[in-house]
Amino acid sequence: MENKRKKRNVTLQLAFLTFLIVGTVLIVKHQRSMPYQHNKGSVFGTFYSITYQSDEDLQKEIENELKKVDETLSMFNEQSVISKVNRNEKTELNDMFIQVVELAMQVSEETEGAFDITVAPLVNAWGFGFKSGVHPTPHAIDSMKALVGYKKISLNMRKKEIEKKDPRIMLDCSAIAKGYGSDVVGTFLKRRGIENYMVEIGGEVVTHGVNERRVPWRIGVVKPTDDTLSVDNELQTVLNVANKSMATSGNYRNFYYKGGKKYAHTIDPKTGAPVQHSLLSATVLADNCATADAYATSFMVMGIERAKAVLERHPELMAYFIYSDKNGELAVWYSPTMKEKIIE
């Protein structure tokens, strides 16, 4: 009797094991044959490109997610949450807005104010915002600096409101919105059970799993050249960004000349003027794209040496810097942990 029971148990175990093996083989076979979808479009004044492995095209649902971000953070959308905050209209902040402001304030603290979402008046005055302006005078810059400073705003969580020390203070989340939008889409895809995807919005990237060739996602870092038309896309390097987020900030395409002098688009919140240093491009890898986006912008403000000090305090961040050396030649520095990510 005992032997029969043992034989029956062994038979059941073998049957269950066979079921698991067959099931696993079928799942893997289905996953390998499942197509990759490719969605492209425009959002936040730029373009997006999203690739993901799925039996169905989810572009409509993805654009609904992006619409939520636009309705929260877009300064071009007059009915967005941030537009209402800038007009000092009574509005209850949603979770997206709160998440972005909290992260922005955290990065501001960590970078000693190099990242600052109140910098909008200065950005606009130098002609890179949603308004075009003439070259600001020193007096005008001093006046605007009185309205700039992340410590001049606070987040009242009880009332779910932004409190300003001066009602003229304006917020601008454009240096974090694209990265945050990429995170939102990545979270949506993961929620749908999708394991393999790459989300790119205006150069800010979120990846997970593998690409169509069954290898980790690889993203190129463009070599910085004075190319305002974005025609020259020669790569400086290619990075393995599997299961990471990547953001790049640079002054090599967003600049203008006036009076024979080159003005970069990155504004230093403390000086109130465009930055003047050798750093041309900052690429950051992080666990989420909003963080990578904010730090990439911060490093462009800080320059290489101050950025290195931040990286020492934050080993979870990886950075790749392209700069102009003393001879005017392109040179590269990257954090030690980035070395394993460099493919070519």
Side-chain angles (χ1 to χ4, degrees), residues 279-291:
L279 185 56
L280 301 173
S281 168
T283 295
V284 176
L285 266 59
D287 289 334
N288 66 77
C289 204
T291 296

Side-chain angles (χ1 to χ4, degrees), residues 297-312:
T297 299
S298 304
F299 293 158
M300 287 306 302
V301 172
M302 302 177 87
I304 293 178
E305 295 309 316
R306 290 174 63 202
K308 285 181 181 179
V310 173
L311 289 166
E312 285 181 6

Side-chain angles (χ1 to χ4, degrees), residues 332-344:
V332 167
W333 180 92
Y334 50 83
S335 47
T337 50
M338 181 68 90
K339 186 174 183 179
E340 63 188 35
K341 297 290 185 182
I342 298 174
I343 297 172
E344 57 184 67

